[in-house]
Amino acid sequence: MSAHRTLYRQARLATMQPGSAWGLIDDGALLVEGDTLLWVGPEAELPAELARSAPRDVKLDGALVTPGLIDCHTHLVYGGHRATEFELRLQGASYDQIARAGGGIRSTVSATRVATDGQLFNSAADRAAALMNEGVTVIEVKSGYGLSAEHEARCLRVARRLGRELPLTVRTTSLAAHALPHEFAGRPDDYIEAACAWLPQLHAEGLVDAVDAFCDEIGFTPAQTRRMFEAAARLGLPVKLHAEQLSNQHGAALAAEFNALSCDHLEHLDGDGVAAMAHAGTVAVLLPGAFYFLRETRLPPIAALRAAGVPIAIASDHNPGSAPGLSLLLMLNMACTFFRLTPEEALRGVTVHAARALGLQHSHGQLKAGLQADFVVWDLAAPNELAYWFGRNPCQRVLRAGIEILGPDA
Ligand code: DI6
Ligand code: FE
């Protein structure tokens, strides 16, 4: 007997391992030791001495089990909201018109700067809880609403605190190159120089896992983005990019030059960008919530991404301007309805490919021996139901690092 082992059995495992649809194992078992999956496979093949070694035995009655879900692109830490801007857009104003008039991201920057650390933490923790309720065990959180050395650091510290105080893995991304703060009006190159200079200190404080930028007409130019990436590379930090969201700036090819973990949005991505991403092994993160909420009509080039073998991830992009939703399950449904992903591709997009978009593919994203014991038990029989229902939460039980954080034993 090994006191810290638990056996979960009579499960339908969507392991998401490659080689078969969903990596499906009917009548499967999971043996958890501490925070790790010790054994995963068909229950009939579980060695008897391993079965006997677990003092706790949990029967799951045929329920579906998937890896913990991973939301690999969020802007969770911010002050205020932008419901009035939503009304303006409904009356005909466009997202970029509002941004150019000084609203948009910059109005959230003002609301973030006046919020206390406690307010920022509490609002972000509530939002994280909503994601976690649907089986999310890993999130990425970007800065980008502080836009000064002090306020960027504050937002990243709040993100780190979420990871310490909630049963949740949090990866942080510095997105100082999100918008031009008013104190640098007309001086974007000076702002980028300043933002590059903050990075070593933020990194020294352990606040940055990756560096991102918004490369667009209302964001930063490819040349400015390159300077940000060079500053990241000097510190050995991986990069990601908000690329080709509203226009084609050839940002994906630039990011691929830096072996980016991911390029995100991609509605305006062209064939050269697809090829560059495939060559670099960069993940395409699609954000159907932003596509929906901005009422976009131009689709990312899904067929070309598939044909080139670019891994596709799906994320919420939760932010107050273009994607205020907090349901990763709804994103699965929208990835299928809007982008015509298959339900299996959509689930790979919030598990195995999302892990890769965060550089966590060796510890997260699949049900596989040796990986962290993050998994979700669903009140569902078939994995395609995950992308089918919406507005219903079938999440029954969540284990994160081997500990039940939601469910009968939580
Ligand atoms: N693209 C987006 O969709 C978010 N950031 C970005 O660069 C939107 C951020 C916002 O509108 O507050
Ligand atoms: Fe975003």
Side-chain angles (χ1 to χ4, degrees):
M1 285 274 186
S2 182
H4 48 302
R5 286 187 185 173
T6 304
L7 177 62
Y8 294 84
R9 57 197 185 88
Q10 297 179 359
R12 190 157 200 219
L13 306 178
T15 67
M16 308 318 283
Q17 289 192 40
S20 68
W22 315 90
L24 199 67
I25 300 176
D26 278 322
D27 305 309
L30 298 157
L31 183 63
V32 175
E33 179 174 60
D35 62 2
T36 305
L37 290 167
L38 188 65
W39 191 92
V40 177
E43 198 174 329
E45 293 174 18
L46 176 67
E49 68 278 12
L50 274 186
R52 280 193 304 269
S53 75
R56 266 189 83 229
D57 179 351
V58 181
K59 296 184 191 69
L60 296 176
D61 299 320
L64 175 71
V65 177
T66 69
L69 305 189
I70 300 173
D71 192 348
C72 67
H73 179 144
T74 85
H75 309 246
L76 216 63
V77 178
Y78 58 85
H81 63 76
R82 307 234 291 276
T84 304
E85 177 182 315
F86 174 50
E87 284 196 78
L88 289 174
R89 288 198 294 104
L90 292 175
Q91 288 157 17
S94 73
Y95 180 77
D96 58 326
Q97 275 166 355
I98 291 168
R100 287 177 208 277
I105 294 172
R106 271 179 292 198
S107 69
T108 299
V109 172
S110 305
T112 302
R113 288 179 176 180
V114 299
T116 65
D117 293 1
Q119 287 167 335
L120 290 176
F121 177 81
N122 289 336
S123 60
D126 282 351
R127 297 191 270 265
L131 293 169
M132 292 163 70
N133 251 325
E134 287 189 347
V136 171
T137 55
V138 179
I139 63 172
E140 183 249 22
V141 177
K142 300 175 194 296
S143 67
Y145 293 117
L147 308 189
S148 70
E150 174 197 350
H151 293 289
E152 284 290 295
R154 231 158 55 83
C155 292
L156 289 167
R157 284 186 204 116
V158 166
R160 276 283 184 256
R161 188 177 156 204
L162 291 173
R164 283 196 307 273
E165 297 193 14
L166 304 179
L168 178 69
T169 299
V170 176
R171 301 295 282 176
T172 57
T173 299
S174 167
L175 178 56
H178 195 196
L180 191 64
H182 66 80
E183 58 276 21
F184 281 88
R187 297 185 296 127
D189 287 320
D190 292 349
Y191 176 66
I192 290 295
E193 191 180 328
C196 289
W198 306 333
L199 204 52
Q201 178 56 39
L202 296 173
H203 180 49
E205 208 183 311
L207 294 175
V208 185
D209 296 319
V211 173
D212 193 350
F214 182 30
C215 184
D216 219 304
E217 278 163 18
I218 57 166
F220 293 94
T221 64
Q224 290 157 352
T225 301
R226 179 183 289 279
R227 286 169 63 199
M228 217 54 239
F229 284 178
E230 285 167 352
R234 281 195 291 276
L235 298 169
L237 287 169
V239 303
K240 319 169 78 64
L241 189 65
H242 281 71
E244 342 302 12
Q245 178 185 6
L246 306 170
S247 61
N248 184 6
Q249 303 288 316
H250 309 282
L254 169 63
E257 247 187 71
F258 287 80
N259 293 310
L261 288 172
S262 71
C263 289
D264 304 40
H265 286 287
L266 301 176
E267 281 82 349
H268 293 259
L269 181 68
D270 65 16
D272 290 346
V274 172
M277 288 175 67
H279 183 71
T282 299
V283 176
V285 179
L286 306 184
L287 304 167
F291 177 89
Y292 159 75
F293 197 63
L294 295 183
R295 306 175 74 221
E296 299 286 359
T297 51
R298 185 182 171 116
L299 294 168
I302 313 288
L305 289 166
R306 264 194 203 115
V310 174
I312 297 174
I314 303 295
S316 71
D317 193 20
H318 176 86
N319 74 74
S322 69
L326 284 163
S327 170
L328 198 56
L329 290 179
L330 180 58
M331 297 306 108
L332 293 189
N333 177 269
M334 286 186 180
C336 298
T337 52
F338 288 138
F339 297 164
R340 292 285 179 251
L341 261 58
T342 67
E344 184 191 348
E345 286 174 320
L347 188 60
R348 288 195 185 279
V350 294
T351 55
V352 59
H353 295 161
R356 183 159 163 189
L358 298 178
L360 294 176
Q361 63 272 32
H362 302 300
S363 53
H364 292 77
Q366 299 177 57
L367 300 176
K368 187 173 151 188
L371 300 199
Q372 182 160 307
D374 285 12
F375 60 87
V376 187
V377 182
W378 303 95
D379 181 18
L380 300 172
N384 60 4
E385 290 183 78
L386 280 168
Y388 164 73
W389 304 103
F390 60 93
R392 163 189 176 194
N393 184 4
C395 177
Q396 269 184 336
R397 203 189 261 258
V398 179
L399 271 91
R400 190 262 176 172
I403 295 170
E404 187 157 325
I405 59 167
L406 193 151
D409 299 325

